[in-house]
Short mmCIF file of all heavy atoms in Angstrom, two decimals:
data_model
loop_
_atom_site.label_atom_id
_atom_site.label_comp_id
_atom_site.label_asym_id
_atom_site.label_seq_id
_atom_site.Cartn_x
_atom_site.Cartn_y
_atom_site.Cartn_z
N ARG B 165 97.12 38.37 61.52
CA ARG B 165 98.39 38.37 60.80
C ARG B 165 99.55 38.10 61.74
O ARG B 165 100.49 37.38 61.39
CB ARG B 165 98.58 39.69 60.07
CG ARG B 165 99.83 39.70 59.19
CD ARG B 165 99.89 40.84 58.23
NE ARG B 165 99.90 42.13 58.90
CZ ARG B 165 100.38 43.24 58.35
NH1 ARG B 165 100.88 43.20 57.14
NH2 ARG B 165 100.36 44.38 58.99
N ALA B 166 99.48 38.64 62.96
CA ALA B 166 100.55 38.42 63.92
C ALA B 166 100.67 36.93 64.27
O ALA B 166 101.78 36.39 64.37
CB ALA B 166 100.30 39.24 65.18
N GLN B 167 99.54 36.27 64.44
CA GLN B 167 99.56 34.84 64.76
C GLN B 167 100.11 34.02 63.60
O GLN B 167 100.87 33.07 63.81
CB GLN B 167 98.15 34.36 65.13
CG GLN B 167 97.70 34.82 66.50
CD GLN B 167 96.28 34.39 66.80
OE1 GLN B 167 95.63 33.73 66.00
NE2 GLN B 167 95.77 34.79 67.94
N LEU B 168 99.73 34.39 62.39
CA LEU B 168 100.25 33.68 61.22
C LEU B 168 101.77 33.82 61.15
O LEU B 168 102.48 32.84 60.95
CB LEU B 168 99.61 34.22 59.94
CG LEU B 168 98.47 33.41 59.34
CD1 LEU B 168 97.92 34.12 58.11
CD2 LEU B 168 98.91 32.01 58.99
N LEU B 169 102.27 35.04 61.29
CA LEU B 169 103.71 35.26 61.23
C LEU B 169 104.43 34.52 62.35
O LEU B 169 105.50 33.94 62.13
CB LEU B 169 104.01 36.77 61.32
CG LEU B 169 103.69 37.58 60.06
CD1 LEU B 169 103.79 39.07 60.36
CD2 LEU B 169 104.62 37.21 58.92
N GLN B 170 103.83 34.51 63.53
CA GLN B 170 104.44 33.82 64.66
C GLN B 170 104.52 32.32 64.41
O GLN B 170 105.54 31.68 64.68
CB GLN B 170 103.62 34.09 65.93
CG GLN B 170 104.18 33.39 67.17
CD GLN B 170 103.31 33.64 68.39
OE1 GLN B 170 102.25 34.26 68.30
NE2 GLN B 170 103.75 33.15 69.54
N GLN B 171 103.45 31.75 63.87
CA GLN B 171 103.43 30.31 63.63
C GLN B 171 104.33 29.91 62.46
O GLN B 171 104.90 28.82 62.45
CB GLN B 171 102.00 29.84 63.41
CG GLN B 171 101.13 29.94 64.65
CD GLN B 171 101.77 29.26 65.86
OE1 GLN B 171 102.27 28.15 65.77
NE2 GLN B 171 101.74 29.95 67.00
N ILE B 172 104.43 30.79 61.46
CA ILE B 172 105.36 30.52 60.36
C ILE B 172 106.79 30.44 60.91
O ILE B 172 107.56 29.54 60.57
CB ILE B 172 105.25 31.61 59.27
CG1 ILE B 172 103.91 31.50 58.55
CG2 ILE B 172 106.40 31.49 58.27
CD1 ILE B 172 103.62 32.67 57.64
N TYR B 173 107.11 31.40 61.78
CA TYR B 173 108.43 31.40 62.41
C TYR B 173 108.63 30.15 63.24
O TYR B 173 109.70 29.53 63.23
CB TYR B 173 108.59 32.65 63.27
CG TYR B 173 109.90 32.72 64.02
CD1 TYR B 173 111.11 32.87 63.34
CD2 TYR B 173 109.93 32.62 65.41
CE1 TYR B 173 112.31 32.92 64.04
CE2 TYR B 173 111.12 32.67 66.10
CZ TYR B 173 112.31 32.81 65.41
OH TYR B 173 113.50 32.86 66.10
N TYR B 174 107.58 29.74 63.96
CA TYR B 174 107.65 28.53 64.79
C TYR B 174 107.92 27.30 63.93
O TYR B 174 108.76 26.46 64.26
CB TYR B 174 106.34 28.37 65.56
CG TYR B 174 106.20 27.06 66.29
CD1 TYR B 174 106.80 26.86 67.53
CD2 TYR B 174 105.48 26.00 65.75
CE1 TYR B 174 106.68 25.66 68.20
CE2 TYR B 174 105.36 24.79 66.41
CZ TYR B 174 105.96 24.62 67.64
OH TYR B 174 105.84 23.43 68.29
N LEU B 175 107.20 27.18 62.80
CA LEU B 175 107.42 26.05 61.90
C LEU B 175 108.82 26.07 61.31
O LEU B 175 109.46 25.03 61.17
CB LEU B 175 106.38 26.07 60.78
CG LEU B 175 104.96 25.62 61.15
CD1 LEU B 175 104.04 25.71 59.93
CD2 LEU B 175 104.96 24.20 61.68
N GLN B 176 109.30 27.26 60.96
CA GLN B 176 110.65 27.36 60.41
C GLN B 176 111.68 26.83 61.40
O GLN B 176 112.59 26.10 61.02
CB GLN B 176 110.95 28.82 60.05
CG GLN B 176 110.26 29.29 58.77
CD GLN B 176 110.55 30.75 58.48
OE1 GLN B 176 110.45 31.60 59.36
NE2 GLN B 176 110.89 31.06 57.25
N ARG B 177 111.54 27.21 62.66
CA ARG B 177 112.49 26.72 63.69
C ARG B 177 112.42 25.21 63.82
O ARG B 177 113.46 24.54 63.96
CB ARG B 177 112.18 27.39 65.03
CG ARG B 177 112.62 28.84 65.14
CD ARG B 177 112.49 29.31 66.57
NE ARG B 177 111.14 29.09 67.08
CZ ARG B 177 110.81 29.15 68.36
NH1 ARG B 177 111.73 29.38 69.27
NH2 ARG B 177 109.57 28.96 68.74
N ASN B 178 111.21 24.66 63.81
CA ASN B 178 111.05 23.21 63.94
C ASN B 178 111.67 22.47 62.76
O ASN B 178 112.33 21.44 62.93
CB ASN B 178 109.57 22.86 64.06
CG ASN B 178 109.05 22.98 65.47
OD1 ASN B 178 108.97 22.00 66.21
ND2 ASN B 178 108.73 24.20 65.88
N TYR B 179 111.45 22.99 61.55
CA TYR B 179 112.01 22.34 60.37
C TYR B 179 113.53 22.51 60.30
O TYR B 179 114.23 21.64 59.79
CB TYR B 179 111.35 22.89 59.10
CG TYR B 179 109.97 22.33 58.84
CD1 TYR B 179 108.85 23.14 58.79
CD2 TYR B 179 109.78 20.95 58.65
CE1 TYR B 179 107.58 22.62 58.56
CE2 TYR B 179 108.53 20.43 58.41
CZ TYR B 179 107.43 21.27 58.37
OH TYR B 179 106.19 20.74 58.15
N GLU B 180 114.04 23.63 60.81
CA GLU B 180 115.49 23.84 60.81
C GLU B 180 116.18 22.78 61.67
O GLU B 180 117.27 22.32 61.34
CB GLU B 180 115.82 25.24 61.34
CG GLU B 180 115.55 26.38 60.36
CD GLU B 180 116.58 26.43 59.24
OE1 GLU B 180 117.56 25.65 59.28
OE2 GLU B 180 116.40 27.24 58.32
N VAL B 181 115.55 22.38 62.77
CA VAL B 181 116.12 21.36 63.65
C VAL B 181 116.29 20.04 62.91
O VAL B 181 117.24 19.27 63.15
CB VAL B 181 115.22 21.17 64.89
CG1 VAL B 181 115.69 19.97 65.71
CG2 VAL B 181 115.23 22.43 65.74
N LEU B 182 115.39 19.78 61.95
CA LEU B 182 115.43 18.51 61.23
C LEU B 182 116.63 18.41 60.28
O LEU B 182 116.93 17.32 59.78
CB LEU B 182 114.14 18.34 60.42
CG LEU B 182 112.85 18.22 61.25
CD1 LEU B 182 111.64 18.10 60.33
CD2 LEU B 182 112.92 17.02 62.19
N ARG B 183 117.32 19.50 60.04
CA ARG B 183 118.49 19.45 59.16
C ARG B 183 119.55 18.50 59.70
O ARG B 183 120.33 17.92 58.94
CB ARG B 183 119.11 20.85 59.01
CG ARG B 183 118.30 21.82 58.15
CD ARG B 183 119.04 23.15 58.07
NE ARG B 183 118.32 24.16 57.35
CZ ARG B 183 118.38 24.32 56.02
NH1 ARG B 183 119.12 23.49 55.29
NH2 ARG B 183 117.71 25.29 55.44
N ALA B 184 119.58 18.34 61.02
CA ALA B 184 120.60 17.50 61.64
C ALA B 184 120.26 16.02 61.58
O ALA B 184 121.09 15.18 61.93
CB ALA B 184 120.80 17.92 63.10
N HIS B 185 119.06 15.68 61.12
CA HIS B 185 118.63 14.27 61.07
C HIS B 185 118.94 13.69 59.69
O HIS B 185 118.38 14.14 58.68
CB HIS B 185 117.14 14.16 61.38
CG HIS B 185 116.79 14.55 62.78
ND1 HIS B 185 116.53 13.64 63.78
CD2 HIS B 185 116.67 15.77 63.36
CE1 HIS B 185 116.25 14.28 64.90
NE2 HIS B 185 116.33 15.58 64.67
N GLU B 186 119.82 12.72 59.64
CA GLU B 186 120.23 12.16 58.36
C GLU B 186 119.11 11.37 57.69
O GLU B 186 119.12 11.18 56.47
CB GLU B 186 121.45 11.24 58.56
CG GLU B 186 122.69 11.99 59.05
CD GLU B 186 123.89 11.06 59.20
OE1 GLU B 186 123.70 9.83 58.99
OE2 GLU B 186 124.99 11.54 59.50
N ASP B 187 118.13 10.88 58.49
CA ASP B 187 117.06 10.08 57.91
C ASP B 187 115.96 10.94 57.30
O ASP B 187 114.99 10.43 56.74
CB ASP B 187 116.45 9.15 58.97
CG ASP B 187 115.93 9.92 60.18
OD1 ASP B 187 116.46 11.03 60.44
OD2 ASP B 187 115.00 9.43 60.84
N ILE B 188 116.09 12.26 57.38
CA ILE B 188 115.10 13.17 56.80
C ILE B 188 115.49 13.51 55.38
O ILE B 188 116.66 13.78 55.08
CB ILE B 188 115.00 14.47 57.63
CG1 ILE B 188 114.54 14.15 59.06
CG2 ILE B 188 114.04 15.45 56.98
CD1 ILE B 188 113.15 13.57 59.15
N HIS B 189 114.51 13.47 54.48
CA HIS B 189 114.76 13.81 53.08
C HIS B 189 115.08 15.31 52.99
O HIS B 189 114.20 16.16 53.13
CB HIS B 189 113.51 13.47 52.24
CG HIS B 189 113.72 13.66 50.78
ND1 HIS B 189 113.32 14.79 50.10
CD2 HIS B 189 114.30 12.84 49.85
CE1 HIS B 189 113.63 14.67 48.83
NE2 HIS B 189 114.23 13.50 48.65
N GLN B 190 116.36 15.61 52.77
CA GLN B 190 116.81 16.98 52.85
C GLN B 190 116.28 17.88 51.73
O GLN B 190 116.02 19.06 51.93
CB GLN B 190 118.35 17.02 52.87
CG GLN B 190 118.95 16.42 54.12
CD GLN B 190 118.54 17.15 55.39
OE1 GLN B 190 118.52 18.37 55.44
NE2 GLN B 190 118.21 16.38 56.43
N GLU B 191 116.11 17.31 50.54
CA GLU B 191 115.60 18.14 49.44
C GLU B 191 114.15 18.57 49.72
O GLU B 191 113.78 19.72 49.49
CB GLU B 191 115.67 17.36 48.12
CG GLU B 191 117.08 17.16 47.60
CD GLU B 191 117.09 16.51 46.23
OE1 GLU B 191 116.00 16.31 45.66
OE2 GLU B 191 118.19 16.20 45.74
N GLY B 192 113.35 17.64 50.22
CA GLY B 192 111.99 17.98 50.57
C GLY B 192 111.94 18.98 51.71
O GLY B 192 111.11 19.89 51.72
#
Side-chain angles (χ1 to χ4, degrees):
R165 185 167 61 156
Q167 286 177 2
L168 260 178
L169 286 170
Q170 180 182 4
Q171 292 308 315
I172 291 170
Y173 177 67
Y174 171 82
L175 285 179
Q176 284 178 313
R177 285 190 306 165
N178 276 263
Y179 282 119
E180 284 286 355
V181 172
L182 296 178
R183 288 181 183 274
H185 295 258
E186 296 182 355
D187 57 334
I188 298 296
H189 186 262
Q190 293 298 317
E191 289 186 5

